[in-house]
Amino acid sequence: MGINKTMECRLCGSVAKHAYDSKLLRYTVSYFQCSECDYFQTEKPFWLDEAYSNAINDSDTGILVRNQDNARRVIMTLLSLGDLNGRVLDYAGGYGILVRLLRDLGVDAFWSDKHCSNLLAKGFEHQGGRYGLVTAFEVFEHFENPVVELNNLLEYSDNVLISTELFFQQNGPEEDWWYRAPEHGQHIGFFNTKSLEILAGVCKCHVVSLGTSVHLLSRNPVPVLWKVATRFSRFAPIVAKLKLQPKTIADFNAIRHENRL
C-alpha cells in the first residue's frame, strides 16, 4: 500500500490514514491510524498463518511471571465482583498455565485456544455454558475484528478481564515501540484510552483500566472495589487459602478415573 492510501478502520469503520511502513516478519507492512477512534492497525494481515505456525513466541520470556500475576488478578477480580466461586474461562489460554494455576488456587477455571495445544490443563477444556468471568490476557492486540471478538466473549460472561498495552502518543505509537512486536507478526491492532472506550461503547460495556495494560470490561458498572482489590493482588493467595479449596487433588482423581481402563 502506498503512502497516500487509507483503509477502513477495523474497529469503528471510519477512515484510517497511513502512518508508516515497517518491517513485520519478512514483509514490509503498512500501518494506519483511525481518524475517529485512534485505533492503530496494520493493513489487512495476510501473514497470520505464518505468524501462528508457532503459537507461543520464543521471545515471550515473561510467560510464567505474567501468568502468576494474572492468577492473582483473577482472584481479586472475582472477589470484587462478589463471585469468588464463579467459573472462569481463559480465552486464548495458551499451554494452559493460567488455568492450572487458578485451579490449584481453588478457582473453577477452564481453557480455550484455537491456535495452541493445551499441555497443562487437559480435561478442563471449555465445553460451553456461562461464566462469572472471561479472561483474555495478551489477546486483543491479536484480533483482526475486535468488536466481533468482544461480542463473542460477552456471550460467555458479562465480565471480560483483559490485558493489552495502551499507547499514548497522539499520532500513534513510534515504529520502534516494543509492543508492535514485528518479530512474530501476531500483534495487528493497538489501543489507546479513546479507542478502548469506543470498543466498550460499541459493545454496550463499561470499561475501567488499571494502569496501562489491565482492563475490565463489563455489561454492569465496574465495582469501585475492583481497582483497589487488583492493586493489592499480592494478597490473593491469602484470599484463596481462606475462601477457596484447591482443586489439585480432586482434578488428579477425576482425570485418573476418566483414564482408567
Side-chain angles (χ1 to χ4, degrees):
M1 290 188 173
I3 196 167
N4 296 318
K5 295 290 187 178
T6 61
M7 64 176 282
E8 181 179 315
C9 176
R10 294 197 293 265
L11 195 162
C12 74
S14 300
V15 175
K17 297 179 180 179
H18 183 270
Y20 51 73
D21 293 340
S22 188
K23 293 294 290 184
L24 185 151
L25 293 175
R26 55 193 175 91
Y27 308 104
T28 298
V29 169
S30 294
Y31 285 78
F32 296 79
Q33 184 170 23
C34 180
S35 56
E36 293 296 324
C37 73
D38 286 350
Y39 187 59
F40 194 81
Q41 59 214 281
T42 67
E43 63 181 274
K44 184 173 177 59
F46 56 84
W47 56 86
L48 292 184
D49 286 345
E50 181 177 342
Y52 285 101
S53 61
N54 183 17
I56 304 298
N57 306 304
D58 293 341
S59 60
D60 191 2
T61 57
I63 188 170
L64 294 180
V65 171
R66 185 174 66 251
N67 276 282
Q68 290 171 334
D69 289 342
N70 287 338
R72 292 190 285 268
R73 291 186 180 112
V74 169
I75 293 282
M76 302 310 276
T77 297
L78 291 172
L79 180 67
S80 67
L81 293 173
D83 193 21
L84 197 53
N85 292 303
R87 297 200 314 156
V88 172
L89 173 63
D90 186 27
Y91 186 81
Y95 294 146
I97 297 170
L98 180 59
V99 169
R100 189 64 262 161
L101 286 172
L102 288 171
R103 295 192 70 83
D104 290 344
L105 288 166
V107 176
D108 197 16
F110 295 85
W111 173 96
S112 174
D113 196 316
K114 63 183 179 181
H115 293 295
C116 193
S117 297
N118 179 10
L119 302 181
L120 299 175
K122 290 182 179 179
F124 303 99
E125 293 83 5
H126 165 62
Q127 299 295 333
R130 294 277 292 173
Y131 295 83
L133 179 68
V134 170
T135 60
F137 292 121
E138 297 302 302
V139 178
F140 269 73
E141 63 279 1
H142 295 245
F143 288 152
E144 187 170 358
N145 297 295
V147 171
V148 172
E149 298 286 358
L150 179 55
N151 278 326
N152 176 57
L153 297 183
L154 290 165
E155 291 293 315
Y156 300 121
S157 177
D158 289 341
N159 305 296
V160 180
L161 180 64
I162 77 171
S163 66
T164 191
E165 194 72 26
L166 303 182
F167 68 88
F168 294 93
Q169 297 90 340
Q170 183 176 356
N171 296 319
E174 300 292 338
E175 187 176 352
D176 63 354
W177 188 37
W178 69 273
Y179 204 62
R180 197 173 61 81
E183 69 276 4
H184 59 66
Q186 296 178 4
H187 290 190
I188 60 174
F190 308 92
F191 297 85
N192 62 8
T193 301
K194 180 181 179 180
S195 51
L196 187 61
E197 288 176 348
I198 287 175
L199 172 65
V202 170
C203 296
K204 298 180 172 58
C205 282
H206 304 266
V207 61
V208 175
S209 296
L210 180 69
T212 64
S213 60
V214 180
H215 323 279
L216 181 60
L217 298 110
S218 179
R219 292 288 196 198
N220 305 304
V222 175
V224 175
L225 178 61
W226 177 70
K227 269 195 171 184
V228 177
T230 48
R231 286 189 188 279
F232 288 92
S233 59
R234 65 184 180 274
F235 295 113
I238 298 173
V239 172
K241 187 172 183 179
L242 293 174
K243 299 290 186 179
L244 296 170
Q245 182 67 39
K247 299 183 181 296
T248 313
I249 300 302
D251 288 353
F252 166 76
N253 288 329
I255 293 171
R256 186 184 186 194
H257 177 77
E258 183 176 313
N259 293 336
R260 187 177 297 163
L261 298 176

